[in-house]
Amino acid sequence: MAERKLDDLYNFSQALENLNLCVNSPGFISIGRVKRIVGLTIEAVGISAPIGAQCVIQAQGQDNGLNAEVIGFDGDLVFLMPLSSIEGIAPGCQVTLQSETPPSCFSFALKGRIIDGLGQAIDGRSELEYDEVASLEMGKSSALDRENITEVLETGIKAIDSCFTFGKGQRMGLIAGSGVGKSVLLAMLAQNTPADIAVIALIGERGREVKEFVTETLGEEGLKKSVVIAEPVNASPVRRIKAAKLAHTIAEQYRAQGKHVLLLMDSLTRIAHAQREIGLAIGEPPTTKGYPPSVFSLLPGLIERVGMGNACEGSISAFYTVLAENDDRSDPIVDIARASLDGQVMLSRKLADASHYPAIDLEGSISRVADKIVSKTHTSLARKLRRFWSLYCQNEDIIQIGAYEAGSNADLDLAIKLKSEIDNFLIQGENDTFTLSQTMQQLSFIESEKI
């Protein structure tokens, strides 16, 4: 009897081993179950899947499963982040491995369409058919294969074109606190900056802004040469990250065709917030302001996907908005943006409060390629303008209270005299556009007459 029990036990263990081999063999559909939910994270057991794998959770009382992505694991536990509401999920719900890699697809029919972070059409038009394979991650390439930035890209904004001239293939940040005019400036750039195609990513912003941007800013003509990717603030953090990567993938595919692409992303900070939610949910240690290390890996990786291509490709010129929380210019996301980008345009709340729009602060802004792509005359004029602007700002308090005595400093006297003319030059209406030649004519007029 004992010998028979040992045989049965051996047969049972062999059956378990064979089942395990079958489960882990190629082509087998791995199935597990939900163990518990902690915050935004669903913990599952009985399933083996790599990071980035796509799973389906069969919620109770629902015909369609809930899509989720593997974001981490701890021993036998697999951490899943759902792509939508977790309502109906309970312990024991079935988890099925759908794909071991994130969906990777692309179509050149995207121009003129509005899609979400999963590539699904949200503009009420026909469904998209994807016929190209394209990874959401950055491909391997050598930095030496890229062309240098040699051409000016006009933005139609006098303050930028004169003092922080933007180059084709450059990456620039628009940095400001909330309500200072980042979105309006981004809209002006979308309207005025020439490109073969514009890829516009609205990530983590208010939902109403998407329709406003499409209907009022882009308009019918602007949309025809654009691809809009939108994931509002209430979307899953996984979807927001996917939207950011998808926008860069689309831009890369058009660059590979030899196109000049304009990438506008609003905002880099919301992408960081999404990655912070994911990182903290799987137990990453929080660092500065609660941001886990993965945030400081993700952002430079995205930014490095942008820029000039090789000799056979086009270019991607990009503007990223960055929210300086509480107007803190030492915010960690602001810091990493400044370190990774090719320049930044700082917006000032003080200027915005004084109805000086666009509220560009000449003191904190810089373009790291401007001197290489414009003439020496242009550079000289821009430096003089910035010098007088800075000189006035540094002494504004003593000037306003009447403590400054005229004649004490010849340069400051001239800065005071020129203040109103400089302001008139820098202030620009939302619908006003100036060519680079028009901008330089106005700047030359200030130089020849006053400076």
Side-chain angles (χ1 to χ4, degrees):
M1 180 68 72
E3 192 173 63
R4 183 176 178 183
K5 287 183 177 180
L6 286 173
D7 288 339
D8 291 342
L9 184 60
Y10 173 79
N11 292 334
F12 179 70
S13 64
Q14 283 292 104
L16 285 177
E17 184 177 350
N18 292 336
L19 178 61
N20 183 55
L21 290 172
C22 183
V23 166
N24 291 288
S25 64
F28 187 84
I29 300 177
S30 183
I31 299 176
R33 61 180 179 83
V34 172
K35 183 177 181 181
R36 64 173 182 169
I37 299 175
V38 181
L40 300 175
T41 310
I42 299 173
E43 297 181 0
V45 293
I47 185 171
S48 178
I51 300 294
Q54 307 298 300
C55 297
V56 176
I57 304 172
Q58 195 60 50
Q60 295 179 354
Q62 296 183 11
D63 295 331
N64 297 323
L66 171 69
N67 293 320
E69 182 171 309
V70 177
I71 59 173
F73 53 84
D74 181 9
D76 294 335
L77 282 179
V78 174
F79 301 139
L80 301 166
M81 183 73 74
L83 302 185
S84 56
S85 172
I86 61 175
E87 185 177 353
I89 300 297
C93 285
Q94 180 176 292
V95 181
T96 305
L97 176 62
Q98 190 176 49
S99 170
E100 290 193 348
T101 58
S104 54
C105 50
F106 175 75
S107 171
F108 285 109
L110 286 171
K111 190 180 289 188
R113 302 302 301 268
I114 307 170
I115 60 177
D116 62 15
L118 303 180
Q120 300 169 341
I122 57 173
D123 52 8
R125 296 164 59 186
S126 60
E127 290 296 321
L128 287 161
E129 294 184 5
Y130 292 97
D131 50 13
E132 301 278 343
V133 176
S135 172
L136 293 180
E137 303 298 331
M138 180 180 182
K140 293 182 179 179
S141 62
S142 170
L144 297 179
D145 290 338
R146 293 192 174 191
E147 297 291 294
N148 293 328
I149 298 174
T150 58
E151 296 181 46
V152 172
L153 183 63
E154 298 183 26
T155 65
I157 300 170
K158 290 186 291 182
I160 295 178
D161 288 345
S162 61
C163 297
F164 323 108
T165 312
F166 188 74
K168 184 179 289 187
Q170 187 176 352
R171 305 156 314 180
M172 183 81 82
L174 306 179
I175 303 174
S178 58
V180 181
K182 296 187 304 299
S183 297
V184 174
L185 184 57
L186 197 72
M188 294 174 69
L189 292 167
Q191 292 173 328
N192 302 338
T193 308
D196 296 322
I197 183 169
V199 179
I200 303 168
L202 305 175
I203 300 172
E205 301 299 322
R206 293 177 288 271
R208 66 170 179 80
E209 292 179 338
V210 177
K211 186 172 184 179
E212 287 181 3
F213 194 95
V214 171
T215 58
E216 298 178 13
T217 301
L218 281 180
E220 187 176 345
E221 290 302 315
L223 183 60
K224 286 180 181 178
K225 68 166 191 174
S226 303
V227 180
V228 180
I229 303 98
E231 281 294 353
V233 67
N234 62 333
S236 161
V238 173
R239 292 178 67 113
R240 281 178 267 156
I241 297 295
K242 283 184 176 295
K245 292 181 177 181
L246 179 60
H248 286 78
T249 297
I250 292 171
E252 286 173 332
Q253 294 300 307
Y254 279 105
R255 178 178 63 186
Q257 267 200 331
K259 305 290 187 184
H260 169 57
V261 184
L262 177 66
L263 174 64
L264 303 175
M265 181 157 290
D266 189 11
S267 71
L268 202 64
T269 306
R270 304 302 185 192
I271 299 170
H273 289 176
Q275 184 61 36
R276 178 170 63 181
E277 291 179 45
I278 295 173
L280 295 179
I282 60 175
E284 275 194 82
T287 55
T288 309
K289 280 200 171 181
Y291 289 106
S294 59
V295 171
F296 303 104
S297 172
L298 172 68
L299 298 186
L302 283 177
I303 292 169
E304 275 303 305
R305 299 175 67 172
V306 176
M308 296 295 297
N310 59 39
C312 300
E313 296 180 332
S315 63
I316 303 174
S317 307
F319 286 93
Y320 296 90
T321 66
V322 184
L323 176 64
E325 296 182 5
N326 298 319
D327 293 331
D328 181 10
R329 294 188 177 184
S330 62
D331 180 89
I333 304 305
V334 174
D335 277 343
I336 197 168
R338 276 198 297 241
S340 304
L341 295 168
D342 301 321
Q344 71 271 348
V345 173
M346 306 293 295
L347 303 185
S348 164
R349 188 173 300 278
K350 182 179 180 180
L351 292 175
D353 290 342
S355 296
H356 180 120
Y357 290 106
I360 296 175
D361 183 358
L362 301 191
E363 286 191 296
S365 305
I366 189 173
S367 171
R368 294 190 174 93
V369 304
D371 292 350
K372 302 175 183 178
I373 59 176
V374 299
S375 66
K376 292 182 179 180
T377 301
H378 184 147
T379 300
S380 176
L381 289 173
R383 287 178 178 176
K384 287 181 179 180
L385 179 66
R386 295 184 65 182
R387 180 164 60 88
F388 283 107
W389 167 277
S390 298
L391 191 58
Y392 183 90
C393 291
Q394 291 165 7
N395 295 275
E396 185 173 11
D397 290 342
I398 63 171
I399 295 171
Q400 295 296 331
I401 65 174
Y404 174 72
E405 184 178 346
S408 302
N409 184 314
D411 286 342
L412 183 54
D413 289 340
L414 190 50
I416 295 171
K417 184 178 180 180
L418 289 173
K419 180 62 167 60
S420 61
E421 296 219 31
I422 292 174
D423 284 344
N424 289 336
F425 172 76
L426 296 174
I427 292 174
Q428 182 174 334
E430 184 177 345
N431 297 316
D432 296 336
T433 304
F434 296 87
T435 65
L436 182 60
S437 60
Q438 290 173 331
T439 296
M440 294 313 297
Q441 283 177 2
Q442 293 190 28
L443 191 57
S444 297
F445 172 79
I446 295 175
E447 161 73 1
S448 61
E449 294 295 324
K450 301 293 183 180
I451 299 178

